[in-house]
Amino acid sequence: MARFFLPATADPRDYQHMTEQRHHPQLQAEQARDRRTDIWAWVAVVIITLGFFIVDIVSEMTDGTYAGEPGRWQQFVLFDGSSIVVLFALFPVLLWLTRRWPLSLQDWKRIIPIYALASLIWSAIHIAGMVAIRKVLYPLIFEGLYSFNRAGGFWLEMLYEYRKDLLTFTLYLAVIYAFRHMADLRREVQTARTEARRSSRITLKSGGSTIFLDAQRVDWARAAGNYVEISAGGTVHLARISLTALDEQLQAAGTDIVRTHRSWLVNRARLREVRPTGEGDQIAILQSGEEVPVSRRYRDALAAS
């Protein structure tokens, strides 16, 4: 392994600069994108949590009025509000946890126990934080002192709080992973579009495989549920992609592609003729002799060729 030695007179900042230069030039951009994704997940959690909080306040005000206790909602605001403040403050811990130990199908047996232990620690900090806030604010707003213990005792109350915290912990993790999954999908689409523009090839996912096709060889494509059938050079490939995303890739690769139907794309270079069906629609005949439907909505776009 290569080792680097600095002269005694060297400035440590020069070494730091050399270390930064050895990083991949795209690393900072990727890290910035990851941070933006996590920030949006945090924003989503805040909006969702506050939405439920507001609905619960209104419900508590209504129930209190019916019960002849119109002011009891104020305690609810303090109790739930203190919990929410601590939850928001702890959310970056979950972001760090899921970056440090990401959950995957290959490693879930090792990661789940880590998450289970983390949920206990996270809940303990959450409970300690909200109790501290309540003990400070309760005497200032209401009469008397706040007590965490109820009729069941301390440990029963801890179990009650942990049950709720475990659900919140799991939901927050789900939000984090959902946002990261969506970000990964957008990144794949952008990467595929860039690659198509650079190499005139399209990138397709088929099962566990990745297929690279010369975009100019594509004859037609047809939507098939969550998949798309792509005919290229006499071979039909099945890929998990939307027709719109495929259209964008083909356009980026320079293929003169046109939509003839909500479920069909056709390479204009493969068209031989277009015939009317007698019902207002048309049929496109390809050079291979294959027939592709042309609906009324898209025939003007086809005629523009």
Side-chain angles (χ1 to χ4, degrees):
M1 180 182 295
R3 296 185 178 182
F4 298 91
F5 298 92
L6 285 176
T9 57
D11 189 338
R13 288 174 296 182
D14 294 336
Y15 176 74
Q16 181 181 2
H17 177 70
M18 289 188 295
T19 302
E20 292 175 352
Q21 289 290 352
R22 286 197 294 271
H23 289 163
H24 193 283
Q26 197 178 355
L27 178 61
Q28 290 185 345
E30 292 295 325
Q31 290 175 336
R33 187 178 301 181
D34 289 342
R35 286 192 294 270
R36 286 196 300 270
T37 300
D38 286 351
I39 289 173
W40 278 114
W42 197 353
V43 170
V45 161
V46 169
I47 292 174
I48 293 171
T49 305
L50 289 180
F52 279 109
F53 183 47
I54 292 172
V55 171
D56 288 341
I57 290 175
V58 174
S59 299
E60 190 69 19
M61 293 175 68
T62 303
D63 294 343
T65 301
Y66 289 154
E69 302 175 1
R72 77 179 191 186
W73 64 271
Q74 297 172 0
Q75 283 194 6
F76 174 83
V77 171
L78 173 61
F79 291 168
D80 271 38
S82 60
S83 172
I84 289 173
V85 167
V86 180
L87 286 176
F88 289 165
L90 287 175
F91 192 76
V93 175
L94 297 186
L95 296 175
W96 171 83
L97 176 72
T98 50
R99 291 290 183 193
R100 177 63 180 82
W101 291 286
L103 184 62
S104 64
L105 291 176
Q106 295 79 13
D107 213 19
W108 68 270
K109 291 182 180 179
R110 183 178 69 90
I111 299 301
I112 291 298
I114 295 175
Y115 282 11
L117 177 60
S119 71
L120 291 169
I121 299 173
W122 190 76
S123 177
I125 298 173
H126 169 235
I127 294 171
M130 73 179 188
V131 169
I133 294 174
R134 294 173 187 178
K135 282 186 175 295
V136 171
L137 296 182
Y138 191 91
L140 302 178
I141 302 174
F142 309 103
E143 296 180 358
L145 300 175
Y146 170 76
S147 176
F148 178 68
N149 293 337
R150 291 196 286 191
F154 176 81
W155 291 110
L156 186 61
E157 188 70 15
M158 288 291 291
L159 180 61
Y160 170 77
E161 292 293 340
Y162 176 69
R163 181 195 55 144
K164 295 190 297 181
D165 280 350
L166 181 59
L167 177 60
T168 304
F169 182 89
T170 305
L171 290 176
Y172 282 5
L173 289 185
V175 171
I176 291 171
Y177 280 114
F179 269 80
R180 289 177 183 172
H181 179 64
M182 289 187 292
D184 288 342
L185 291 179
R186 286 195 298 268
R187 197 173 308 182
E188 287 182 7
V189 170
Q190 293 170 357
T191 301
R193 196 179 304 156
T194 300
E195 175 64 18
R197 190 177 296 111
R198 184 188 65 83
S199 64
S200 296
R201 296 192 308 174
I202 60 174
T203 305
L204 306 172
K205 299 289 186 179
S206 180
S209 304
T210 302
I211 302 173
F212 301 98
L213 290 179
D214 183 350
Q216 301 302 326
R217 296 191 61 188
V218 172
D219 301 318
W220 54 261
R222 177 177 61 186
N226 294 327
Y227 297 84
V228 173
E229 295 175 327
I230 302 106
S231 175
T235 302
V236 178
H237 304 273
L238 184 66
R240 191 173 183 87
I241 189 174
S242 70
L243 202 63
T244 299
L246 176 62
D247 188 2
E248 291 173 352
Q249 273 201 61
L250 289 168
Q251 295 282 359
T255 305
D256 192 7
I257 203 77
V258 61
R259 189 181 287 255
T260 64
H261 186 276
R262 66 179 183 178
S263 301
W264 286 83
L265 294 174
V266 171
N267 188 343
R268 292 183 202 262
R270 299 291 187 269
L271 285 174
R272 189 176 71 192
E273 63 177 306
V274 179
R275 298 176 183 172
T277 63
E279 300 176 355
D281 294 327
Q282 297 175 326
I283 291 179
I285 312 297
L286 306 186
Q287 294 174 358
S288 61
E290 296 173 290
E291 297 182 352
V292 173
V294 181
S295 67
R296 301 177 189 180
R297 179 181 177 184
Y298 296 99
R299 62 185 180 185
D300 289 341
L302 184 62
S305 62

